[in-house]
Amino acid sequence: DTGVSQDPRHKITKRGQNVTFRCDPISEHNRLYWYRQTLGQGPEFLTYFQNEAQLEKSRLLSDRFSAERPKGSFSTLEIQRTEQGDSAMYLCASSQGTSYEQYFGPGTRLTVT
Amino acid sequence: AQTVTQSQPEMSVQEAETVTLSCTYDTSESDYYLFWYKQPPSRQMILVIRQEAYKQQNATENRFSVNFQKAAKSFSLKISDSQLGDAAMYFCAYDLGTYKYIFGTGTRLKVLA
């Protein structure tokens, strides 16, 4: 078990470009979560999946954001037409069964110039 | 609004001494889960300790223990025999059973040799 992995670890993009991040959860974890963490703040919930179903989305997840988990394994988070305000650390986490204990990945740091 | 407050942006402790990090939260729910996570610099968040609100007994994990005061909505973390490796950001969080964490803004802990 290698833990939750995220790719890329760092991404620098120009405003207006699209970016996509990937998260691989711990094997057999059926729940997968995305959070956003800005400097000096705690992580903020964005969305979560149970298997392939997206069960909840935060109001923070504007129309420019989309997340998928097509086969109930890895997940992608896409941001279209990036803005400077999107600069943040994007964290992925996973959990198993009915456990409320989430395991976090190392995050993808996005910088929009 | 559901909030978590960590009133200490930064704390320092001498190696081998004890330190307590404070956390208060606001919810009208009676059943929920509380967590302390540690985020070392440039590394992923790891779970330090968890507490179920229905349990009166305070959770303990080796050198880490909590003081859970449900009526006061307080959930402080005590670190005994502090070690250099304890230096990190510490986040308090809760889950109302919705598989969605609400985090505080964090406390940066410095351990002095």
Side-chain angles (χ1 to χ4, degrees):
Chain A
D1 187 352
T2 57
V4 179
S5 61
Q6 294 187 245
D7 184 68
R9 295 290 306 276
H10 303 273
K11 179 71 176 178
I12 300 174
T13 190
K14 293 186 177 180
R15 188 177 55 185
Q17 298 294 305
N18 298 343
V19 294
T20 300
F21 311 140
R22 175 179 171 128
C23 170
D24 287 87
I26 293 172
S27 299
E28 299 178 357
H29 274 196
N30 61 330
R31 288 194 172 83
L32 186 147
Y33 313 81
W34 286 99
Y35 292 84
R36 182 173 69 187
Q37 185 178 19
T38 54
L39 203 60
Q41 300 297 317
E44 296 174 291
F45 172 82
L46 292 178
T47 187
Y48 98 90
F49 294 84
Q50 180 172 308
N51 300 313
E52 64 274 9
Q54 188 173 18
L55 295 189
E56 187 167 349
K57 292 170 58 174
S58 163
R59 290 172 297 174
L60 294 174
L61 216 63
S62 75
D63 292 345
R64 297 184 297 106
F65 288 70
S66 63
E68 294 183 343
R69 194 183 184 198
K71 296 182 179 179
S73 57
F74 73 91
S75 175
T76 58
L77 178 67
E78 181 184 15
I79 309 174
Q80 297 182 328
R81 305 181 302 282
T82 52
E83 302 173 355
Q84 287 189 320
D86 296 332
S87 295
M89 177 75 85
Y90 290 85
L91 298 171
C92 176
S94 67
S95 67
Q96 169 67 1
T98 56
S99 172
Y100 293 97
E101 205 167 299
Q102 297 183 19
Y103 294 81
F104 284 81
T108 294
R109 182 169 296 283
L110 173 66
T111 302
V112 181
T113 62
Chain B
Q2 298 164 358
T3 58
V4 177
T5 301
Q6 294 181 248
S7 59
Q8 306 150 317
E10 190 171 294
M11 293 281 286
S12 295
V13 62
Q14 287 290 141
E15 200 174 1
E17 296 294 308
T18 296
V19 64
T20 299
L21 309 184
S22 66
C23 172
T24 59
Y25 56 93
D26 186 15
T27 179
S28 57
E29 300 293 327
S30 60
D31 198 13
Y32 45 88
Y33 303 83
L34 295 159
F35 305 89
W36 277 99
Y37 276 85
K38 170 185 177 181
Q39 188 176 40
S42 302
R43 295 183 60 188
Q44 62 205 77
M45 286 208 296
I46 57 175
L47 179 66
V48 174
I49 198 166
R50 59 174 284 176
Q51 172 83 43
E52 290 86 355
Y54 63 85
K55 290 186 178 179
Q56 293 186 338
Q57 186 173 5
N58 289 325
T60 300
E61 287 288 341
N62 301 313
R63 299 183 295 108
F64 299 88
S65 61
V66 299
N67 183 3
F68 173 47
Q69 302 289 328
K70 190 172 184 178
K73 297 180 183 176
S74 171
F75 182 60
S76 61
L77 174 69
K78 185 171 82 171
I79 306 173
S80 304
D81 186 25
S82 297
Q83 301 175 0
L84 294 176
D86 294 334
M89 283 291 289
Y90 285 81
F91 291 98
C92 176
Y94 72 73
D95 183 332
L96 300 179
T98 58
Y99 299 103
K100 178 174 70 176
Y101 281 4
I102 306 297
F103 282 92
T105 52
T107 296
R108 181 175 302 281
L109 178 66
K110 295 184 177 181
V111 182
L112 309 174

